[in-house]
Amino acid sequence: MALFSERKRLKALQLAEASGQSFWTEEIPVEARTKIAYFYDACRELVDSYGFDFQFVVTRHVCIGLGINMRTVDFNALSQMEEAERFLTLVEAIHLTLEGSRQPHLAPQFAEIVNGVFNSYRVAYKLIPEGSQVVELESLELHNSVVDPVIRLLYGQPKLESAQLAYMAALKQISHHDAANAITDAATALQETFKALGVPGKALGDQIKSVRMSGQLPRRDAPMLEALIKALEWVASERNQNGDAHTVTDATLDDAWLIVHIVGALIVRLAGSPRS
């Protein structure tokens, strides 16, 4: 659970993003590095208690990976490592070492903590547990081309306020690691956009049918409309199967991100300037 200062920081961040600003970066702020360093220390103490020299193994992985002679990887080394490439190498080494330790269940927990910290500070990297690899966040480009435009589109338009609130709620749920609620909120954002545009239907599925039959888009957009309808139906299906209203909890954050991006692209296409 986030404490007061963190909740205040995240709220300010979300308000700024709601006005169209983007904060995604490849730099890793000292606060993010320090949080990860604290969890590293907790893992080290627990693993060492089982007779495994955790710090030694991590340091060995780092020295081999970077081709350097590093004395030791400790809390200070992690929190003060400003160069992103070296810090991310340390993160990979820690996860790899946890997997090979006598407490391997800590590895996925470490990955979850790292990815949660990265997301909350909008650091454009992700630790993939399979293979202990850090990758650049592929969705960064999608954020620039989809998420940011939809936030700017919805912001300051009274008739789209409900859609904006739902879309921002979806992003907030992702930052809280709540995939099911994020899916539900994303679908609600699409539903509220339809409502604001005068598309009839009490439920998202009904609105999808209305779009299919309405002829709202020019005839030359027919191929795009077919793809649009399939995407809308898929979003509605995901909401029914994985949304929190149905108490299904196996939706992943990757599922949620995918739906948020699809919904965002559809909102920009539908609520943007009409094509002649």
Side-chain angles (χ1 to χ4, degrees), residues 112-133:
E112 185 177 354
I113 290 292
V114 167
N115 290 331
V117 170
F118 282 174
N119 184 63
S120 68
Y121 284 91
R122 303 303 188 258
V123 175
Y125 294 101
K126 182 177 182 179
L127 173 58
I128 307 298
E130 295 78 17
S132 300
Q133 291 187 340

Side-chain angles (χ1 to χ4, degrees), residues 8-256:
K8 186 175 180 180
R9 183 187 69 82
L10 288 174
K11 183 177 181 179
L13 177 64
Q14 291 154 6
L15 287 173
E17 288 177 329
S19 67
Q21 297 184 57
S22 177
F23 296 92
W24 288 90
T25 177
E26 293 183 355
E27 296 182 1
I28 306 171
V30 62
E31 295 85 359
R33 299 196 304 269
T34 300
K35 289 181 179 183
I36 293 171
Y38 269 115
F39 193 72
Y40 161 78
D41 248 15
C43 290
R44 178 186 58 78
E45 291 179 3
L46 181 58
V47 172
D48 283 353
S49 69
Y50 282 81
F52 185 94
D53 194 338
F54 184 68
Q55 192 162 276
F56 171 79
V57 178
V58 171
T59 303
R60 184 178 61 186
H61 282 309
V62 171
C63 290
I64 294 173
L66 292 176
I68 62 173
N69 184 15
M70 192 174 190
R71 191 169 186 178
T72 185
V73 174
D74 56 15
F75 178 90
N76 289 330
L78 270 173
S79 60
Q80 296 176 12
M81 184 71 71
E82 295 184 16
E83 186 180 344
E85 182 179 342
R86 290 199 171 192
F87 180 82
L88 297 173
T89 299
L90 292 176
V91 167
E92 289 184 346
I94 293 167
H95 187 272
L96 184 63
T97 303
L98 285 171
E99 284 196 320
S101 73
R102 296 175 183 176
Q103 297 288 298
H105 65 279
L106 292 175
Q109 293 182 33
F110 179 73
E112 185 177 354
I113 290 292
V114 167
N115 290 331
V117 170
F118 282 174
N119 184 63
S120 68
Y121 284 91
R122 303 303 188 258
V123 175
Y125 294 101
K126 182 177 182 179
L127 173 58
I128 307 298
E130 295 78 17
S132 300
Q133 291 187 340
V134 173
V135 298
E136 293 181 355
L137 192 64
E138 294 179 359
S139 61
L140 179 59
E141 181 178 349
L142 287 173
H143 272 81
N144 293 334
S145 62
V146 175
V147 175
D148 286 348
V150 75
I151 289 174
R152 289 193 293 270
L153 173 67
L154 298 176
Y155 182 72
Q157 297 196 51
K159 72 174 185 177
L160 293 172
E161 182 179 2
S162 295
Q164 184 212 8
L165 291 174
Y167 195 76
M168 295 305 298
L171 296 175
K172 181 178 180 180
Q173 296 295 354
I174 288 177
S175 70
H176 292 168
H177 312 288
D178 192 337
N181 270 332
I183 290 173
T184 296
D185 289 333
T188 299
L190 186 57
Q191 188 174 353
E192 291 297 330
T193 301
F194 279 141
K195 187 184 299 183
L197 296 175
V199 176
K202 294 183 178 180
L204 184 56
D206 297 331
Q207 291 171 321
I208 290 172
K209 293 177 182 177
S210 297
V211 169
R212 179 187 281 119
M213 302 177 64
S214 66
Q216 289 177 302
L217 295 175
R219 183 174 298 179
R220 64 175 177 270
D221 281 340
M224 188 277 293
L225 179 59
E226 290 302 315
L228 177 67
I229 290 171
K230 290 180 181 179
L232 294 176
E233 290 175 340
W234 181 76
V235 169
S237 174
E238 283 294 302
R239 185 183 189 186
N240 290 335
Q241 294 179 29
N242 291 335
D244 68 319
H246 296 266
T247 64
V248 176
T249 58
D250 59 352
T252 68
L253 289 180
D254 287 338
D255 295 332

